[in-house]
Amino acid sequence: LFLFDTSATILQFALMVGFIAGLERTLVVPPDGEAAEMEADLPQRAPSFRAPAVHVPGSVLSALAIIGVSALVALGIVINTRIYYASKVVVRTQVSDITWEQRIGLFQTSIDTFRPLANYPRIFLIGQVGNNFQGMSDEDFALTMDMVDREAIHATDSEPEEWKIHADLALLYYRVASRDQKYQQQADSYLESASELGPETLEVRA
């Protein structure tokens, strides 16, 4: 799950492919007799410098392959464990008997746990605030919008071409502007960027 959602996991796969390809090239060594015959068939030419051949025992190559694969598997387990934990923390934000201060702390923990997928909890944050801002106290509203303002910048910076994030933020800021007009400017700004990135989408048109 999420194996190729991040640059980190794509890099792991690329390193594995490169390692195996290099290993195969290292192991393809013709026998001594065959190599001598091949050299005898080649046309004579001026002597050139040749580095001495380095023989690597097969057992060493096998050990290196096992160590490399084991390290990649362990790294994959660590990454997927962090993804699981970040998702589990987001689920806890749905509990109704916690304060908004606690909920904001959970969102921050989820975001910080695995940054490459941080926009997923940010989307949950946008949705929860949009559905509940009218019932918040002034203190909770200020605390929550402070996080939204901060994470909105991080969200658009991490995926600058994703129109959906801009559209979701535009909708949220339009809604909270009914409570505090200072957010109207941000709503207009995100709507403009969403329209530029996804001019043909029905959601932006709506």
Side-chain angles (χ1 to χ4, degrees):
L1 187 63
F2 301 127
L3 183 58
F4 294 106
D5 276 62
T6 71
S7 57
T9 48
I10 293 174
L11 177 59
Q12 293 171 37
F13 182 74
L15 288 174
M16 174 64 79
V17 172
F19 176 79
I20 294 173
L23 187 60
E24 289 180 349
R25 286 198 298 271
T26 304
L27 293 175
V28 179
V29 179
D32 293 340
E34 183 180 339
E37 292 178 5
M38 292 172 63
E39 288 189 1
D41 293 338
L42 293 175
Q44 296 297 319
R45 58 185 179 183
S48 59
F49 173 78
R50 296 179 61 186
V54 178
H55 176 68
V56 180
S59 59
V60 174
L61 291 175
S62 299
L64 290 175
I66 293 173
I67 292 172
V69 171
S70 299
L72 289 176
V73 170
L75 184 59
I77 292 173
V78 171
I79 288 175
N80 282 283
T81 299
R82 297 185 71 180
I83 292 172
Y84 169 77
Y85 180 72
S87 303
K88 185 177 180 180
V89 172
V90 165
V91 172
R92 291 171 59 192
T93 66
Q94 306 287 333
V95 177
S96 59
D97 60 348
I98 61 175
T99 66
W100 273 99
E101 183 176 2
Q102 292 172 321
R103 188 171 285 112
I104 291 301
L106 291 172
F107 273 119
Q108 192 64 61
T109 298
S110 180
I111 290 170
D112 292 339
T113 297
F114 196 69
R115 284 281 176 177
L117 294 179
N119 273 2
Y120 287 99
R122 288 173 183 140
I123 291 171
F124 278 97
L125 170 66
I126 292 170
Q128 284 203 34
V129 175
N131 291 330
N132 297 283
F133 74 94
Q134 291 177 330
M136 294 180 188
S137 66
D138 291 341
E139 183 179 355
D140 286 343
F141 181 72
L143 177 67
T144 303
M145 291 308 299
D146 181 64
M147 183 178 190
V148 169
D149 290 341
R150 181 176 65 253
E151 295 303 328
I153 296 173
H154 293 318
T156 52
D157 283 347
S158 64
E159 295 186 73
E161 302 301 320
E162 178 53 63
W163 67 267
K164 184 69 167 54
I165 293 176
H166 292 258
D168 289 346
L169 287 168
L171 178 60
L172 173 62
Y173 278 112
Y174 268 118
R175 296 183 69 181
V176 298
S178 64
R179 176 166 177 166
D180 190 334
Q181 278 296 312
K182 73 177 184 180
Y183 295 110
Q184 185 64 47
Q185 183 176 357
Q186 287 158 286
D188 295 337
S189 176
Y190 282 116
L191 179 60
E192 181 179 357
S193 58
S195 300
E196 292 174 355
L197 293 171
E200 300 302 321
T201 60
L202 294 176
E203 188 166 348
V204 171
R205 289 179 179 179

